[in-house]
Amino acid sequence: MKYEGVIQKTIHWIESHLHEQISVNDIDHITGFSKYHFHRIFQNSVGMSVSEYIRMRRLANAASTLLYTNERIIDIAVYYQFESQESFTRAFKKQYKLPPGRYRSVMKNISENKEEEIMGEKVKGWILSGSHPFNYEIGTDRRNIHQGKASGYLKSKTVQEPGEFATMMQEFKADKFRGERIMLSGFIQTKNVQQFTGLWMRIDSASDEILQFDNMNNRPIIGTNNWNRYSIVLDVPENSAIISFGILLTGKGEVWLDGLSFEVVDKNTPTTNFSVETILLDEPTNLSFEE
């Protein structure tokens, strides 16, 4: 969490320059850190090196371009800074298990057949909830992806009032993480979010007592933003029973979610829990409201 700001700044810059040459010096200039120090930070935070991230994102964009345009493979390879069609094919096959031409022919048919079925339908493992879920829609997007072949989305449809909100969420048993400090991280992209969107996570006891909670309310994502990485860190007390998490959207807008992960972190990683301190008084006070 200490370096989240500089990681986000770097990813924001990378996302805007994927079709250009990117050098180590460019990254060093953005971060202000030494090359070795920052690359170690990036690897520990994102789970891959800067160069691996750049290549993964270029390949993901190339995969979408293959499916939804008629651009030649050689032109896609050159646009995303591969030295040749051969080097692009090798990298693409390693990532997607198919060469680009085969991927285009196979996946295009699958995407065309499934796209209408998927839009607005249930997404495996996820539920739509919130104050006005009927004014929102969730689904799987195979065109706008951060990695792999699909992302999840939550978008407003018929929102009327600013306070309306919805969430695409899951919940699971806390057994595996009891006594640990965990980080939920993922990549988010937004479009025309007028009020607020963000990750959220809540730890509940068996009696439905909220033990830990964060919804990024103090660091909201607003407006239109390219893919970037966000995270939440919470402790999981020994009396925890359920962990709930998801993406929250308040008001109008669209948000995409991809590459979520949970990991145990050490106690040196600060939590993002919303803590409300309560002090129990020895006796009642100010009963006449004159103080």
Side-chain angles (χ1 to χ4, degrees):
M1 298 300 296
K2 179 180 177 182
Y3 298 106
E4 187 167 65
V6 72
I7 295 292
Q8 290 176 350
K9 180 181 178 182
T10 304
I11 291 176
H12 175 75
W13 186 88
I14 290 172
E15 291 291 329
S16 301
H17 295 79
L18 287 173
H19 61 287
E20 303 171 11
Q21 289 187 354
I22 299 175
S23 70
V24 172
N25 290 335
D26 292 330
I27 302 298
D28 293 345
H29 179 72
I30 294 298
T31 65
F33 290 96
S34 70
K35 176 178 67 175
Y36 297 107
H37 181 55
F38 176 74
H39 284 246
R40 185 167 60 251
I41 293 169
F42 193 95
Q43 176 82 47
N44 290 339
S45 298
V46 182
M48 65 184 76
S49 68
V50 175
S51 59
E52 289 171 335
Y53 179 86
I54 293 170
R55 174 160 290 212
M56 179 271 291
R57 289 294 296 129
R58 283 173 169 165
L59 289 171
N61 284 356
S64 181
T65 305
L66 283 166
L67 295 185
Y68 296 102
T69 76
N70 294 317
E71 294 288 332
R72 298 186 306 163
I73 293 174
I74 181 61
D75 293 334
I76 296 173
V78 170
Y79 184 77
Y80 286 110
Q81 299 297 307
F82 287 88
E83 296 178 355
S84 64
Q85 183 169 331
E86 289 73 21
S87 64
F88 171 64
T89 297
R90 285 195 300 271
F92 192 92
K93 187 175 181 181
K94 183 177 180 180
Q95 183 80 13
Y96 288 92
K97 312 306 179 188
L98 290 171
R102 181 65 176 160
Y103 181 89
R104 171 177 264 170
S105 61
V106 171
M107 295 304 298
K108 199 165 188 176
N109 289 332
I110 294 174
S111 296
E112 288 174 351
N113 291 335
K114 288 189 175 182
E115 189 164 13
E116 290 302 320
E117 300 174 10
I118 290 171
M119 300 295 282
E121 293 295 325
K122 292 182 178 180
V123 185
K124 182 180 179 181
W126 296 88
I127 62 172
L128 177 62
S129 186
S131 67
H132 294 73
F134 42 83
N135 286 342
Y136 292 82
E137 176 185 291
I138 65 173
T140 303
D141 193 332
R142 299 180 183 276
R143 183 190 298 262
N144 187 14
I145 57 176
H146 180 265
Q147 56 201 80
K149 300 174 184 176
S151 66
Y153 72 83
L154 168 63
K155 68 178 181 180
S156 59
K157 295 192 303 178
T158 55
V159 171
Q160 301 296 322
E161 300 295 332
E164 295 178 8
F165 72 90
T167 176
M168 181 168 65
M169 63 168 290
Q170 293 189 36
E171 57 183 20
F172 62 97
K173 295 179 181 179
D175 303 23
K176 179 181 176 182
F177 293 116
R178 284 197 189 105
E180 304 283 5
R181 179 166 294 180
I182 61 172
M183 175 186 289
L184 165 65
S185 61
F187 289 86
I188 294 174
Q189 186 181 66
T190 64
K191 181 179 179 182
N192 298 330
V193 173
Q194 296 184 8
Q195 284 186 267
F196 161 67
T197 189
L199 291 172
W200 68 272
M201 180 164 59
R202 190 182 71 233
I203 316 294
D204 296 335
S205 69
S207 59
D208 293 329
E209 177 189 2
I210 298 175
L211 305 176
Q212 295 266 297
F213 177 71
D214 180 19
N215 66 356
M216 292 181 57
N217 187 58
N218 60 348
R219 53 198 192 283
I221 307 171
I222 302 169
T224 298
N225 300 275
N226 211 334
W227 288 105
N228 215 322
R229 182 180 180 273
Y230 302 88
S231 60
I232 284 174
V233 178
L234 296 179
D235 286 323
V236 186
E238 292 294 346
N239 61 332
S240 300
I242 297 174
I243 299 175
S244 305
F245 70 98
I247 187 77
L248 175 73
L249 176 60
T250 299
K252 296 180 180 179
E254 301 176 58
V255 56
W256 289 262
L257 186 61
D258 204 354
L260 285 173
S261 65
F262 282 90
E263 62 178 304
V264 175
V265 295
D266 62 39
K267 299 299 182 180
N268 292 322
T269 304
T271 74
T272 59
N273 177 51
F274 286 168
S275 58
V276 180
E277 295 185 6
T278 58
I279 301 175
L280 186 63
L281 301 176
D282 293 329
E283 56 186 35
T285 186
N286 195 25
L287 302 183
S288 62
F289 302 99
E290 299 294 332
E291 296 180 13

